Amino acid sequence: MRFHKTPPVLPWLFRKAWWKRPVSDKILFLTFDDGPIPEVTPFVLEQLAQYNAKATFFCVGENLERYPDLAREAKAQGHQLANHTHQHVKAWKVSPAEYRQQVERCQAALEKVGSGADGPKFFRPPHGQLTWRHLRMLEPEYQVVMWSTLTYDFDASLYPEECLAKAIAVTKPGSVVVLHDSLKAERNLRYVLPRLLRHFSDLGYVFKTL
Ligand SMILES: [Zn+2]
């Protein structure tokens, strides 16, 4: 079963995480997970630039180390870079101590590309996996950001048209929308992103960083 819209029990369980943002205007928070990679991230930047849209990239530390220039480029264009662990590890598979190392290594990679040293530190757990122990360990230093719209762009069994239609149906002012600058999501993303930007832009929405 796919939950394009976040089931209300999750925000209730993890109340300190951000699931959507309180806004009084038509604002959306687009987020891109798992990059940066040269195959997809430049396309995302191009599309965002066409709408003067700003977004948040939850980066994998290893990718930051491989493609630091791409990360710097995103930052130079006014986007926000945030933490998605060093190797995209699942919280349910590793101890809080190991998880912490993963988060810190990613943070170091972020700081190397000139990001993350100032302002709030945002973190999104890979696969949305978290436990209270992991959350408590992160909380003093990081603001955990989940989502209210999951596009399932990474799901190749989902047609791009369906992916777009479902995303549009559940997105509202203040929604935090998850997309992926990853190879797995590439087919759906290349279809969905330009149309999503156009659709909400035509309705008067603007796109901001968290
Ligand atoms: Zn991820």
Side-chain angles (χ1 to χ4, degrees):
M1 186 181 272
R2 296 189 188 94
F3 293 102
H4 290 267
K5 183 173 180 230
T6 300
V9 65
L10 293 173
W12 182 79
L13 279 172
F14 294 104
R15 268 160 281 191
K16 285 190 182 162
W18 287 1
W19 295 85
K20 56 188 173 193
R21 302 302 300 142
V23 293
S24 48
D25 288 311
K26 290 181 171 178
I27 299 170
L28 291 182
F29 302 94
L30 300 183
T31 63
F32 296 87
D33 290 7
D34 302 355
I37 57 167
E39 296 87 343
V40 187
T41 310
F43 167 78
V44 172
L45 295 178
E46 231 168 74
Q47 296 300 315
L48 293 173
Q50 286 185 34
Y51 291 89
N52 196 26
K54 303 303 173 202
T56 303
F57 290 80
F58 285 93
C59 302
V60 170
E62 278 188 342
N63 286 339
L64 286 170
E65 287 180 351
R66 275 186 210 123
Y67 310 111
D69 291 343
L70 206 43
R72 286 197 188 94
E73 179 58 32
K75 177 130 170 58
Q77 292 185 22
H79 304 298
Q80 182 175 39
L81 307 184
N83 195 317
H84 198 46
T85 75
H86 193 67
Q87 291 165 308
H88 206 255
V89 295
K90 296 179 173 173
W92 300 346
K93 295 251 165 102
V94 299
S95 69
E98 283 171 84
Y99 205 64
R100 167 159 218 108
Q101 280 186 355
Q102 280 282 328
V103 175
E104 281 172 357
R105 281 182 76 186
C106 182
Q107 200 59 34
L110 282 168
E111 286 175 25
K112 245 190 198 157
V113 296
S115 188
D118 51 339
K121 293 177 181 169
F122 294 111
F123 173 77
R124 174 174 287 154
H127 305 275
Q129 282 190 11
L130 211 53
T131 71
W132 277 304
R133 280 173 69 211
H134 290 78
L135 185 61
R136 261 199 302 276
M137 181 267 299
L138 294 167
E139 259 169 10
E141 222 183 318
Y142 293 90
Q143 173 59 55
V144 172
V145 180
M146 303 301 257
W147 57 81
S148 49
T149 298
L150 190 55
T151 59
Y152 288 94
D153 54 353
F154 54 83
D155 184 347
S157 69
L158 191 64
Y159 287 108
E161 294 81 356
E162 195 186 350
C163 198
L164 175 69
K166 294 261 171 69
I168 285 174
V170 302
T171 298
K172 293 187 256 222
S175 286
V176 177
V177 182
V178 184
L179 296 137
H180 291 79
D181 47 342
S182 71
L183 292 177
K184 224 162 119 189
E186 186 177 3
R187 185 203 65 181
N188 283 339
L189 180 80
R190 283 184 186 270
Y191 180 88
V192 168
L193 180 59
R195 289 164 182 82
L196 198 68
L197 284 163
R198 164 161 307 183
H199 175 85
F200 284 104
S201 189
D202 285 350
L203 291 175
Y205 278 80
V206 293
F207 308 92
K208 294 194 176 181
T209 59
L210 292 163

